[in-house]
Amino acid sequence: MPASPKESVRNPRVHDQRELGGSISPIEKPSLRGRFAPSPSGPLHFGSLVAAVGSYLVARYYGAEWQVRIEDIDPPREVEGATDTILRQLEAFGLHWDGPIIYQSENIPRFKDILEWLKAEGLLYACDCTRKKVNQLSDNGRYPNICQHKKLSFEGEVAWKLRHGDGDYSFFDQIQGNCTFDESLYREDFTVKRKDGLMAYQLAVVIDDIDAGIDHVVRGIDLLDSTPRQLRLYEVLEKPAPLWFHLPLAINNDGNKLSKQNHAPAIEAKNASVLLHQAIAFLGQKPPVSLRSEPPEIIIDWAIEHFQLETIPQQQQILYSES
């Protein structure tokens, strides 16, 4: 009998479980692999630079590999040429990746296999609810598992929902500390395949991280409440979850996070040293002012040598000033 998709997931580098609040040391974690996973919906801005630098510093400080994965499974949001722009930006800022660039779209057959396995295990159901209907029935925006007993067909314009588990999906974040959420998040069935037939973020990111042996994830705190859903996927696939590092978000004067949707300006290679200095300082490190005039590689080398995880702010957002 062939192995199920769950069993055929390549075994990632497994880390020992530690007590909450325990620290990581290079001796205990000699073979970590991290990643930076932008979507090609536009060039990198300062907010995404912070995420890239944060993930790079954590990986390099602990002697880890740093992978770049392009999350190109949402064609309606993709911008032509964005992937090449992003890669050029990373190189200009001294952020050099290990191994080949990974393209998420190349793993779509794998995602489909996992979906079929989850369906065969009775862990999925089809849902035809609109967002308007969900909002009418829910006072907190959470999906109230309306279609779980309807036995709708998986064909046609329906979302595929993963049934929630019974566990406690709280977790310890290496920056933010103990993270717990309202019970409604833990008991919400969530989408793993969208109504338009595209793969959902939650499923794709977990499968890619498992297959690549990613055992620590550094990203913005806007994805913090995605973590319990991803922990549910690690649970059903019976794979160890990575360590989590959620960075504070950069916001503008209007209180909005810097993002492509909010038209945050692209970072430019001609300002690489100054912007890199700002990103490192944003992460709670204290680079000397004199470094602003040094090449990006010199700034990065200093940041790796002097990196202190405990000085990254335990905040959800920080005002970004270009000065």
Side-chain angles (χ1 to χ4, degrees):
M1 180 180 296
S4 72
K6 178 186 74 172
E7 293 166 340
S8 63
V9 173
R10 292 190 293 276
N11 188 36
R13 297 170 182 175
V14 178
H15 56 264
D16 297 330
Q17 295 297 317
R18 302 188 316 278
E19 292 181 359
L20 297 186
S23 61
I24 312 166
S25 76
I27 296 175
E28 294 172 347
K29 306 292 174 188
S31 58
L32 291 172
R33 179 180 296 148
R35 48 73 165 177
F36 175 59
S39 61
S41 53
L44 301 181
H45 50 77
F46 183 79
S48 44
L49 176 64
V50 167
V53 170
S55 64
Y56 190 87
L57 292 182
V58 169
R60 294 302 190 225
Y61 182 78
Y62 294 116
E65 296 177 357
W66 189 68
Q67 183 185 89
V68 170
R69 180 173 74 225
I70 303 298
E71 299 200 331
D72 57 343
I73 58 168
D74 193 355
R77 294 183 60 243
E78 292 169 19
V79 173
E80 186 176 356
T83 294
D84 289 340
T85 298
I86 289 168
L87 297 178
R88 287 197 303 270
Q89 288 175 310
L90 291 174
E91 290 180 322
F93 281 75
L95 302 173
H96 303 296
W97 53 88
D98 297 304
I101 301 296
I102 305 299
Y103 292 90
Q104 194 169 58
S105 58
E106 294 177 356
N107 219 13
I108 288 177
R110 174 93 167 111
F111 305 150
K112 290 180 177 179
D113 286 345
I114 294 291
L115 284 170
E116 290 301 323
W117 179 82
L118 291 170
K119 184 169 68 169
E121 292 291 307
L123 291 167
L124 302 183
Y125 62 85
C127 169
D128 61 0
C129 295
T130 63
R131 171 51 56 184
K132 180 179 179 180
K133 180 177 180 179
V134 170
N135 288 335
Q136 288 173 342
L137 297 174
S138 172
D139 57 6
N140 59 6
R142 304 260 185 240
Y143 174 67
N145 307 340
I146 305 166
C147 296
Q148 61 180 325
H149 300 303
K150 290 184 178 180
K151 297 183 179 180
L152 299 175
S153 170
F154 284 94
E155 302 299 323
E157 193 173 328
V158 292
W160 292 20
K161 298 284 187 179
L162 177 68
R163 298 182 189 277
H164 70 266
D166 296 324
D168 177 3
Y169 302 103
S170 59
F171 61 96
F172 180 76
D173 186 87
Q174 304 297 311
I175 297 171
Q176 305 298 332
N178 290 312
C179 297
T180 59
F181 301 83
D182 185 272
E183 183 75 6
S184 63
L185 178 61
Y186 300 147
R187 302 295 172 254
E188 179 188 28
D189 300 337
F190 60 90
T191 299
V192 288
K193 184 180 179 184
R194 294 169 18 179
K195 273 189 173 184
D196 57 9
L198 297 177
M199 299 297 118
Y201 164 78
Q202 309 293 2
L203 177 85
V205 72
V206 168
I207 299 304
D208 279 343
D209 283 347
I210 289 173
D211 284 356
I214 301 299
D215 51 9
H216 71 282
V217 171
V218 184
R219 59 190 183 187
I221 204 169
D222 54 328
L223 291 169
L224 191 73
D225 64 1
S226 285
T227 310
R229 295 166 178 162
Q230 291 168 18
L231 287 171
R232 170 60 176 157
L233 279 162
Y234 280 102
E235 178 182 62
V236 299
L237 295 170
E238 297 180 8
K239 295 298 174 181
L243 300 172
W244 307 101
F245 299 73
H246 284 88
L247 305 170
L249 293 180
I251 61 170
N252 59 24
N253 290 324
D254 296 327
N256 298 316
K257 77 170 183 175
L258 300 186
S259 67
K260 297 165 188 175
Q261 290 85 355
N262 291 330
H263 308 294
I267 53 174
E268 298 183 2
K270 65 181 181 181
N271 297 324
S273 293
V274 171
L275 289 169
L276 192 56
H277 188 281
Q278 289 176 344
I280 292 167
F282 184 93
L283 290 169
Q285 314 305 301
K286 294 180 170 54
V289 174
S290 59
L291 275 180
R292 283 178 172 236
S293 58
E294 297 290 347
E297 284 77 9
I298 298 296
I299 300 174
I300 285 289
D301 286 346
W302 179 94
I304 294 170
E305 182 180 354
H306 295 86
F307 180 69
Q308 297 183 68
L309 180 65
E310 62 271 17
T311 65
I312 297 178
Q314 274 190 315
Q315 295 175 235
Q316 292 198 13
Q317 48 193 341
I318 299 173
L319 179 65
Y320 167 60
S321 172
E322 296 184 16
S323 60

